[in-house]
Amino acid sequence: MKVYLDNSATSYPKPEDVYYSVFNYMKNIGANPGRGGYANVLEGDRIIFSCREALMKLFNFNKLENVIFTSNITESLNILLKSVIKEGWHIITSSMEHNSILRPLSNLKETKHIDLDIIECPESGILNIEDFKKAIKLNTKLVVLTHASNIIGSIQPLKEVGKICQKKGIYFIVDSAQSAGAIPVDFSEIGCNALAFTGHKSLLGPQGTGGFLIDDDLNKEASPFIEGGTGSLSKSITQPDFLPDKFESGTLNAPGIAGLLAGINYITKAGILSIQEKEQQLCQHFIDGLLNIPSIKVYGSKDASLRTPTISINSTKINNAELGFILDRDYGIMARSGLHCAPLAHKTIKTLAEGTLRFSLGPFNDKKDIDYTLYALNLILGSV
């Protein structure tokens, strides 16, 4: 038996139509969107347009041309941060961030001499709003936060943060890597200026897909980050200043975007709330079972309704790397051990030294996967 529980790294399996759409594009369309006027190019253009439209509807966004494609969310966050932030800005983020935020900000602290505040979260992983309010300064220009932790699934109070940012005229960027496709993500309701997404996790698309949505206010602050061919204004040697071309130089991953469109269509048809409800039920069942194993510590909230289905554990009996290895070797259960590219989050939950064993559920997991995993954990830890 094989059980895949590493959906926070990348979702697997994908809906069947995702595989078909990628293959169909490569075999039967093949052309480079925006580069020509023949039928296959126009078919590629239609797929790119349809995926922008699907993302706009999924995130309750209102400007099609402001939906930008990149190769992954790390690229998206780098573009947003490095094209927008100016020297001397005060930036606020949290201790629960992934390195895709922490590393660019650390670089900008050195190169653009930004003033950076990283608010320490409690072990719950949830930002304290009062701490956030106290961190705001006269020169605070930007807040950047992850929606949900990639280690313990804690969900940040983005709506409250967004309201404060709007009231004070502070830009707000959201990292939706662990939330988009798993829980509702509403651009308008959050009140952010930009939302970065990845295609290959809970949006169920292929690896190598991602992007961001940006409003006109933040776009005015942003400079082009990568410059080159766009298929538009080709007689000019300067980068177009209109969207999406401003941020989309070079060939798009059209086969991947075709697959991403299929993934989003699957989510739309299934219903994001239905997906969330199923995953919450499985997550709660798993947490309850883990809490019945005496040697296991579960990090984060024990209430599945307050988190995404990403669960980190450690055992007092065995190192998490060895436990993960045994689960894979002897039981075919795939989970990720160690550190998860978020060192300050590990420090927050006091696991920086050893990391955690992380189980992350997806829409194609079922109760028998969870019961089998709990059975295997009981056997392993009962024999150690």
Side-chain angles (χ1 to χ4, degrees), residues 24-25 29 42-52 69 254 257-259 261:
N24 178 64
Y25 195 100
I29 302 173
L42 296 178
E43 180 61 21
D45 288 341
R46 279 190 285 271
I47 289 170
I48 302 298
F49 179 92
S50 295
C51 195
R52 288 193 212 277
F69 289 115
I257 292 170
L261 175 59

Side-chain angles (χ1 to χ4, degrees), residues 49-242:
F49 179 92
S50 295
C51 195
R52 288 193 212 277
E53 190 173 49
L55 285 160
M56 186 178 70
K57 290 177 180 177
L58 180 70
F59 294 126
N60 190 25
F61 189 61
N62 60 7
K63 292 200 77 172
L64 186 75
E65 65 271 25
N66 291 39
V67 179
I68 312 300
F69 289 115
T70 66
S71 60
N72 53 60
I73 194 169
T74 298
E75 183 180 333
S76 298
L77 290 164
N78 270 265
I79 291 171
L80 286 168
L81 296 173
K82 293 179 179 177
S83 70
V84 166
I85 291 174
K86 310 294 190 296
E87 188 163 340
W89 278 21
H90 176 234
I91 316 295
I92 297 174
T93 190
S94 86
S95 66
M96 293 304 294
E97 306 309 308
H98 190 275
N99 273 339
S100 56
I101 287 175
L102 294 175
R103 286 180 174 177
L105 288 179
S106 295
N107 173 272
L108 288 166
K109 188 174 182 180
E110 298 299 321
T111 59
K112 289 196 174 180
H113 310 293
I114 63 170
D115 183 7
L116 178 63
D117 267 326
I118 302 174
I119 299 174
E120 182 66 35
C121 294
E123 284 191 56
S124 67
I126 299 173
L127 179 73
N128 183 297
I129 289 294
E130 292 306 313
D131 290 342
F132 170 67
K133 289 178 181 177
K134 290 175 186 175
I136 295 172
K137 302 178 182 179
L138 291 176
N139 66 329
T140 303
K141 296 293 186 181
L142 175 68
V143 174
V144 54
L145 292 174
T146 188
H147 194 175
S149 168
N150 71 315
I151 302 176
I152 60 172
S154 52
I155 300 171
Q156 298 295 7
L158 297 189
K159 294 177 195 175
E160 291 90 330
V161 172
K163 286 177 183 177
I164 295 167
C165 288
Q166 287 182 332
K167 184 178 179 180
K168 293 186 174 290
I170 300 168
Y171 296 120
F172 184 24
I173 295 173
V174 172
D175 170 0
S176 73
Q178 298 294 330
S179 59
I183 61 176
V185 181
D186 188 313
F187 190 102
S188 177
E189 196 173 63
I190 290 169
C192 59
N193 299 96
L195 177 84
F197 66 88
T198 190
H200 73 102
K201 296 187 182 185
S202 292
L203 291 182
L204 307 178
Q207 295 168 11
T209 58
F212 59 91
L213 291 66
I214 185 169
D215 71 5
D216 289 334
D217 290 337
L218 191 62
N219 179 46
K220 289 174 186 175
E221 292 279 4
S223 303
F225 186 68
I226 299 172
E227 296 165 301
T230 59
S232 61
L233 301 183
S234 293
K235 65 181 180 181
S236 173
I237 62 170
T238 59
Q239 187 75 4
D241 62 357
F242 52 84

